[in-house]
Amino acid sequence: APPFTGNGTWSTSTETLPHPSVNQAAILDEGNSRILVFGGQQYYQLGSELLEYDISSETWSVITASGVTPPALTEQASAYDASTGKWYLFGGQSYYYVSNELFTLDTTTGAETWSEWTGTTIPEPRKGGSAVFDDLSQKFYVIGGQGYYGLLDDIWSLDVATSTSSNAVWEEVIAGGTAPVRTESTATLDPDYGAIYLIGGQSYYQLADDVACFDLDTQTWMVASLTGDALPPMKGASSTWSDYIGGVIVTGGESYYRLIESVYVIRPSDACVAEVTEVNITSGTILPVYGGSLLHDSVNREAILLGGQSYYQLSPNISNFTP
């Protein structure tokens, strides 16, 4: 592939979201060329339907999955295991409580099935937490968020290789370094150097102005060593890993008194060491949002942004970023 030049373009589909929402959970099922969306805050209610967007035909449909359906939720932490086709969703805000329930979706086309996983040791209830899935260790990580009594600084792992729906094997990671205390961050796993980048977020008195990084090898938190362009303090940003670029794509989010429409690329050169580039957009624009979903399509070498809250409305748009 040609090297990343620091340039990019935006284009927006004529198709829109049937139910615009913010802080929804979404994944890209590349094998079936579709996006799945669940939950989120809509205008007058929380999302409770499982929606499918067919990328090829640009059409939406509602999937009626079997099994134990999650309640209507927003701000849940979710990540997708592409090798098994399982989608993991933990916690979130329902109408009357903050959840610590774990649901999985078997995404087999035509046989989608929800399951609720239970265990004896589970993370405490939270909303606004972050999550990643590590293909190498087969672990689902949940990081921080906001509980009933304040912000959380913990990190938990679920060993999906040994877990079952009746015995979810959770373990609280005893991490070195100084753990970040924040909610509404966005987390992305760097699979090349084995590190989790936790970008932005709301602490007690300010927005996070650094990027926290968790080294999976040493199990240690540190502030990422970044060169290049500066990332603004933000919360509610969206991010995704791009194999094509070899780095993290970040866009959106809310800074002090404004929404962010810039796109940033974080390209690691070692564990928790990276260069930041503010992308020069050569054509196209987007509606700036926070709480949207950013998904990477490696087949078409583009990132897809959908949903989120803009200044005076929820965004109905599906936009494509091409580096």
Side-chain angles (χ1 to χ4, degrees):
F4 173 57
T5 62
N7 298 319
T9 63
W10 279 109
S11 61
T12 299
S13 172
T14 55
E15 184 61 33
T16 57
L17 289 159
H19 305 296
S21 61
V22 59
N23 295 323
Q24 68 279 353
I27 60 168
L28 177 62
D29 176 7
E30 275 195 346
N32 295 292
S33 189
R34 63 177 181 166
I35 294 171
L36 299 179
V37 180
F38 178 79
Q41 176 66 59
Q42 301 172 8
Y43 280 110
Y44 306 111
Q45 63 183 7
L46 299 181
S48 59
E49 294 180 321
L50 178 61
L51 302 175
E52 176 189 66
Y53 177 68
D54 187 300
I55 296 174
S56 301
S57 64
E58 297 187 320
T59 56
W60 286 95
S61 59
V62 177
I63 295 178
T64 303
S66 60
V68 182
T69 304
L73 289 167
T74 187
E75 294 190 62
Q76 62 270 59
S78 83
Y80 180 54
D81 177 8
S83 64
T84 63
K86 280 194 168 53
W87 186 12
Y88 297 86
L89 300 94
F90 178 80
Q93 173 74 57
S94 190
Y95 284 106
Y96 307 112
Y97 67 97
V98 178
S99 172
N100 66 343
E101 297 165 315
L102 171 65
F103 290 89
T104 69
L105 178 71
D106 182 335
T107 63
T108 301
T109 305
E112 292 86 356
T113 305
W114 287 110
S115 300
E116 182 178 2
W117 287 30
T118 58
T120 55
T121 303
I122 55 177
E124 66 180 276
R126 69 195 63 207
K127 64 177 182 177
S130 306
V132 300
F133 188 85
D134 181 9
D135 294 325
L136 188 63
S137 66
Q138 285 290 287
K139 289 183 178 180
F140 169 63
Y141 286 91
V142 173
I143 306 163
Q146 180 178 355
Y148 279 110
Y149 306 108
L151 302 182
L152 303 171
D153 64 354
D154 54 357
I155 177 169
W156 289 76
S157 67
L158 174 76
D159 188 336
V160 305
T162 59
S163 293
T164 63
S165 60
S166 60
N167 183 30
V169 183
W170 284 102
E171 179 183 5
E172 184 172 5
V173 179
I174 307 303
T178 302
V181 184
R182 58 189 72 166
T183 185
E184 296 185 73
S185 302
T186 180
T188 302
L189 174 68
D190 166 13
D192 293 339
Y193 293 103
I196 300 172
Y197 285 85
L198 191 70
I199 302 164
Q202 174 72 59
S203 65
Y204 281 108
Y205 307 110
Q206 64 181 21
L207 299 178
D209 57 5
D210 60 26
V211 174
C213 187
F214 185 72
D215 188 320
L216 290 169
D217 184 40
T218 63
Q219 302 281 279
T220 302
W221 281 108
M222 64 189 75
V223 175
S225 177
L226 303 178
T227 57
D229 296 324
L231 287 167
M234 65 181 103
K235 65 176 181 178
S238 306
S239 65
T240 185
W241 177 261
S242 168
D243 287 327
Y244 172 58
I245 290 177
V248 182
I249 302 173
V250 185
T251 192
E254 179 183 4
S255 191
Y256 295 106
Y257 315 115
R258 67 183 180 95
L259 298 179
I260 298 168
E261 59 182 306
S262 298
V263 179
Y264 298 90
V265 169
I266 303 173
R267 301 181 74 198
S269 58
D270 204 340
C272 299
V273 178
E275 182 180 18
V276 179
T277 301
E278 183 174 358
V279 177
N280 175 42
I281 302 299
T282 58
S283 68
T285 59
I286 57 167
L287 192 67
V289 296
Y290 73 87
S293 296
L294 189 65
L295 311 169
H296 188 256
D297 182 351
S298 61
V299 175
N300 296 306
R301 292 180 174 174
E302 62 185 12
I304 304 171
L305 176 67
L306 66 157
Q309 172 71 56
S310 191
Y311 284 108
Y312 308 110
Q313 64 175 340
L314 295 175
S315 172
N317 293 339
I318 304 169
S319 299
N320 301 74
F321 169 74
T322 304

